Structures are given as C-alpha cells and as structure tokens.
Amino acid sequence: MMALNPIAFKIGTWPVHWYGVIIASAVVLAVTLSVREAKRRNLISDDIYDVILIGMPVALVTARLYYVIFEWSYYSQHPALIPAIWDGGIAIYGGLIGGLLVVLFVTRHKLINTWLYLDIIAPTVILAQGIGRWGNFMNQEAYGRIVSHAFLTNLHVPTFIVNQMFIGGHYRMPTYLWESLWDVTGFIIIMLLRHRPHLFKQGEVVLTYIIWYSFGRFWIEGMRTDSLYWGPLRVSQVLSLILFFGAIILWYIRRKRYPENSWYLDGHSLTQNI
C-alpha cells in the first residue's frame, strides 16, 4: 500500500515538503485573522507582523530544542543531527513557549496590553495547530497504537486517511486527526463566544484556549506511541496538567482581584493586570 508522497514539489533539486507547506499555510491564515481582529482592537497590522517575523524563527528553534532536550540520550550520541528538523522532531509545546516569550518582549517594548494581545491571537493559534497536524499526517507521524482496518472504517474515517495510517505493516490510530478535530472545534467555540463581554473578561480568551487545548492534549497524548518521556512520565501530559490547572487558578485569581476588568478597546492601554 503506497503512502502519500511527503514532498509537495521541488525547487531545482531542493525538495519542498508538504509539512512545511501546510505549516506555512496555517501561519498565513492565522496572521490574516489576527490582523483583522487587531484592527478592531485599535492595534495596527505591524503589531502582529513584528511578532511573527521574530516569533517564527524563535518558535522553530525552541520547538526543536524542547524535543532534543527530552531525547538527549540519542542526540548526545548524534550531535550532527540536532539541526535536522527535516527528519522530524519538533515539539509544539516548545514552539508555544518560544512564541510566548516573543509576545511578552514585543508587547512590553511597544507598550501594548499583553493580555489583550494574547486574546487576539489565541483563537488563531489553536486553528493553526489544528491545521498543522495535517503535516503530521503527510509525514506519517504523531500516531497511536496498532488497530485493525475494520476499527478505522467503523469510525467512518475517510479512505485516504485509513490508507495513510498503514505504517510499518500495521494500521495505526490517527491521533493527529483527533487533535486536529479538537483544536478546530476549540477555535469555533472561542470565535463564537469571544466577543461576549458578559462571558469573557480581558485575558480569559487566551486562558480558555489554554484550558481547552491542554485538556484535549492530555488525553490524546496518552494514545500516542511517540511521546517524549521524563522518566516514566509523558512530558506533554505533565505540562498539560500544569497548564490546565494553572489557567483555571489564574482565571479565578484575576476574577477575584479585578472584578471590574473587561475588554479594552485601546490596545495600547498600559494596564497589565495579572
């Protein structure tokens, strides 16, 4: 059974992988939607572009470093392969950490309200994550345990997905698909609710994103067979628990401390409530 070609096209002799095409497309869509929302919040498009221009390379590096750190037993013996991201091995949590650091730096430098900025980009980030998982589909990675062909067809999984999940002589659970569906569902819910100030106060859109994503990621990570481990623990599950409960606690603290806090229409408000 032939797997889909992970290479989309070539520029001369240089192969362009579907993974990169899909990620790039997700970023373009996310930026477009973020710029549209930023203008509604009295920010300019450059406030979004500046974070992307700095954040994308930083996030790529931190995503790779995150992966390498937790696979150090391998990379310590093969240091020349550390930069080889084209062979796989980047972690979304590492990328999110790098992206967050850039957002904090840029918003502080430009005197932009950080919470408002995070509320603007959070829905588009989870959408980009959902789209980006299809890069894993093309690379035949981020899959789960061995299952039968009948198991997948009984789930009404499309045939092209079933065929692509035939890996190493076995059909596999398409955990990338579950996460993609979870992320896109989260995006739709947040987009439907985020402009309702009686539901969300400032900062609570991004906290909703964290709660939603980390909850789903915890359970889906438990189905995967390629998890990063910290001793006997799956790293992403540990981090998901920390983020899930941390976001809930922070939501509660901010509601108690700033009961009058609401949306700021001025993106350059200097208020930086914790």
Side-chain angles (χ1 to χ4, degrees):
M1 188 174 297
M2 292 290 294
L4 297 175
N5 189 347
I7 298 175
F9 56 89
K10 291 185 178 181
I11 301 176
T13 59
W14 182 55
V16 177
H17 291 252
W18 275 113
Y19 186 93
V21 172
I22 292 170
I23 295 296
S25 301
V27 170
V28 170
L29 178 58
V31 171
T32 301
L33 294 176
S34 293
V35 167
R36 183 180 302 176
E37 179 65 14
K39 291 178 179 178
R40 294 186 62 181
R41 299 298 170 188
N42 294 329
L43 297 180
I44 60 175
S45 56
D46 283 351
D47 293 329
I48 301 296
Y49 295 140
D50 288 346
V51 167
I52 292 299
L53 291 174
I54 302 171
M56 283 300 296
V58 170
L60 184 61
V61 170
T62 55
R64 181 60 172 176
L65 285 176
Y66 185 101
Y67 183 85
V68 169
I69 288 170
F70 290 105
E71 290 285 352
W72 186 243
S73 60
Y74 174 80
Y75 286 103
S76 62
Q77 303 299 316
H78 305 86
L81 296 180
I82 291 177
I85 60 173
W86 49 86
D87 288 332
I90 57 175
I92 185 62
Y93 270 137
L96 292 174
I97 291 170
L100 177 60
L101 293 175
V102 172
V103 168
L104 293 175
F105 172 78
V106 172
T107 54
R108 296 289 175 169
H109 179 71
K110 289 193 167 191
L111 301 180
I112 298 171
N113 186 288
T114 303
W115 283 109
L116 175 62
Y117 195 97
L118 290 172
D119 279 346
I120 289 170
I121 67 173
T124 65
V125 170
I126 196 171
L127 175 62
Q129 289 175 254
I131 296 172
R133 280 301 175 193
W134 287 88
N136 299 132
F137 166 75
M138 294 302 301
N139 283 355
Q140 292 187 305
E141 57 192 12
Y143 52 78
R145 63 182 176 85
I146 295 173
V147 296
S148 66
H149 181 273
F151 176 87
L152 294 177
T153 55
N154 287 339
L155 292 177
H156 303 290
V157 175
T159 301
F160 76 96
I161 294 179
V162 173
N163 293 341
Q164 187 72 351
M165 286 296 98
F166 189 75
I167 303 168
H170 301 280
Y171 288 98
R172 296 282 185 166
M173 178 80 76
T175 49
Y176 84 90
L177 177 60
W178 309 151
E179 185 166 336
S180 178
L181 294 173
W182 180 260
D183 291 347
V184 173
T185 301
F187 165 75
I188 293 171
I189 291 173
I190 293 173
M191 290 293 285
L192 290 174
L193 300 179
R194 72 171 176 175
H195 289 146
R196 301 184 182 187
H198 62 286
L199 293 177
F200 287 136
K201 296 186 176 183
Q202 190 181 82
E204 292 178 356
V205 171
V206 67
L207 292 177
T208 299
Y209 154 67
I210 294 172
I211 292 168
W212 180 272
Y213 177 72
S214 60
F215 181 84
R217 179 61 187 270
F218 176 85
W219 295 107
I220 295 168
E221 187 69 23
M223 304 178 192
R224 289 176 56 170
T225 59
D226 61 346
S227 299
L228 298 174
Y229 281 86
W230 183 27
L233 304 175
R234 297 175 190 253
V235 177
S236 289
Q237 284 192 313
V238 173
L239 187 52
S240 293
L241 285 176
I242 293 172
L243 290 173
F244 178 79
F245 289 108
I248 291 175
I249 292 169
L250 187 54
W251 188 314
Y252 174 79
I253 291 174
R254 296 182 77 247
R255 281 272 179 149
K256 294 288 288 185
R257 185 175 296 179
Y258 308 109
E260 302 302 322
N261 185 32
S262 61
W263 283 99
Y264 288 102
L265 293 181
D266 182 3
H268 288 273
S269 167
L270 299 185
T271 304
Q272 299 283 347
N273 292 346
I274 296 175

